[in-house]
Amino acid sequence: NAGVTQTPKFRILKIGQSMTLQCTQDMNHNYMYWYRQDPGMGLKLIYYSVGAGITDKGEVPNGYNVSRSTTEDFPLRLELAAPSQTSVYFCASSQSPPPGGVDTQYFGPGTRLTVL
Amino acid sequence: GEDVEQSLFLSVREGDSSVINCTYTDSSSTYLYWYKQEPGAGLQLLTYIFSNMDMKQDQRLTVLLNKKDKHLSLRIADTQTGDSAIYFCAETPRGSTLGRLYFGRGTQLTVWP
């Protein structure tokens, strides 16, 4: 059971380039999330998905796109990279929390992205 | 978004107790969480407390919740060098069907031998 895996671990992009951050989970979780963590800051939610084919925006979605064609995969796309997107990106997944129930999110190891 | 505040740094000597504090603004939060992030790794859930509880103990960890002051703390007894990490406080507002988490900025705990 690998949990949540992310690739690549590190990437340097030039302004205007595009890339896709990959995220895969093998726990059959319905919910998946993308967060970004800026230096000295907490995590901010970019996009989330409650199941295959369903995605929605979080707090900071501008400049990103997502898709969820399978339960396992939730890639994050940057179309036109900007220096403001320099950050560490974390993917997470969880089982559907019951109403009012606790939600245990499992995190991947992160992708460190630098845009120059 | 919700506001979760934490002090940024804490240093303790090995064997001492560590207390990491957090304040939050949403009084309707159902669950409050503590996550641990080791260098170069993702976040790992340490413990959580339901909003109708005052205290939760789990081995070396004690979580205290003061709902009146909207204050959450994490006490680590007999702190070890392996406890050095960043600790994040997070909350789930009531009515959040997503189970959405709002994180503080994290407290960097350094344990000196």
Side-chain angles (χ1 to χ4, degrees):
Chain A
N1 208 347
V4 180
T5 56
Q6 292 182 240
T7 56
K9 284 189 168 39
F10 304 94
R11 185 71 186 268
I12 299 175
L13 284 182
K14 292 183 180 175
I15 294 172
Q17 285 186 318
S18 301
M19 79 164 294
T20 299
L21 283 68
Q22 301 291 347
C23 175
T24 300
Q25 54 93 7
D26 62 0
M27 296 173 282
N28 203 32
H29 284 167
N30 291 319
Y31 285 40
M32 294 188 75
Y33 313 81
W34 274 106
Y35 293 91
R36 59 178 285 173
Q37 183 183 27
D38 297 330
M41 303 297 288
L43 278 70
K44 299 288 187 186
L45 184 65
I46 306 172
Y47 269 95
Y48 65 93
S49 169
V50 301
I54 307 168
T55 62
D56 209 345
K57 296 177 182 178
E59 298 169 78
V60 290
N62 291 345
Y64 307 96
N65 275 303
V66 293
S67 59
R68 183 98 180 268
S69 55
T70 66
T71 300
E72 295 78 20
D73 300 306
F74 190 40
L76 177 72
R77 178 94 181 145
L78 283 72
E79 289 294 348
L80 289 169
S84 61
Q85 293 177 303
T86 295
S87 191
V88 181
Y89 291 83
F90 290 101
C91 179
S93 73
S94 68
Q95 203 43 283
S96 314
V102 68
D103 179 36
T104 301
Q105 292 189 20
Y106 296 84
F107 284 79
T111 294
R112 187 175 295 275
L113 176 67
T114 303
V115 182
L116 300 174
Chain B
E2 313 304 327
D3 243 340
V4 180
E5 298 286 340
Q6 301 177 240
S7 52
L8 295 183
F9 302 99
L10 176 66
S11 292
V12 300
R13 195 174 294 276
E14 191 174 25
D16 288 350
S17 292
S18 310
V19 179
I20 302 171
N21 294 302
C22 168
T23 56
Y24 59 97
T25 55
D26 190 337
S27 58
S28 69
S29 290
T30 50
Y31 285 95
L32 293 127
Y33 305 80
W34 285 105
Y35 278 82
K36 177 182 180 182
Q37 184 182 29
E38 295 181 354
L43 279 68
Q44 185 178 20
L45 180 65
L46 264 186
T47 187
Y48 64 88
I49 187 166
F50 189 47
S51 58
N52 69 352
M53 298 169 65
D54 298 324
M55 184 180 88
K56 180 178 180 182
Q57 189 141 8
D58 185 359
Q59 299 182 332
R60 291 191 298 122
L61 304 178
T62 303
V63 179
L64 294 177
L65 176 60
N66 181 330
K67 286 187 68 178
K68 176 175 165 289
D69 295 337
K70 296 180 202 161
H71 183 266
L72 182 74
S73 68
L74 174 70
R75 179 177 180 269
I76 306 173
D78 186 25
T79 314
Q80 303 297 307
T81 53
D83 294 323
S84 291
I86 301 176
Y87 291 81
F88 290 93
C89 172
E91 62 172 346
T92 298
R94 188 178 297 279
S96 173
T97 56
L98 170 65
R100 190 159 159 170
L101 293 175
Y102 291 88
F103 288 88
R105 294 169 65 182
T107 300
Q108 170 81 59
L109 173 65
T110 303
V111 183
W112 302 97

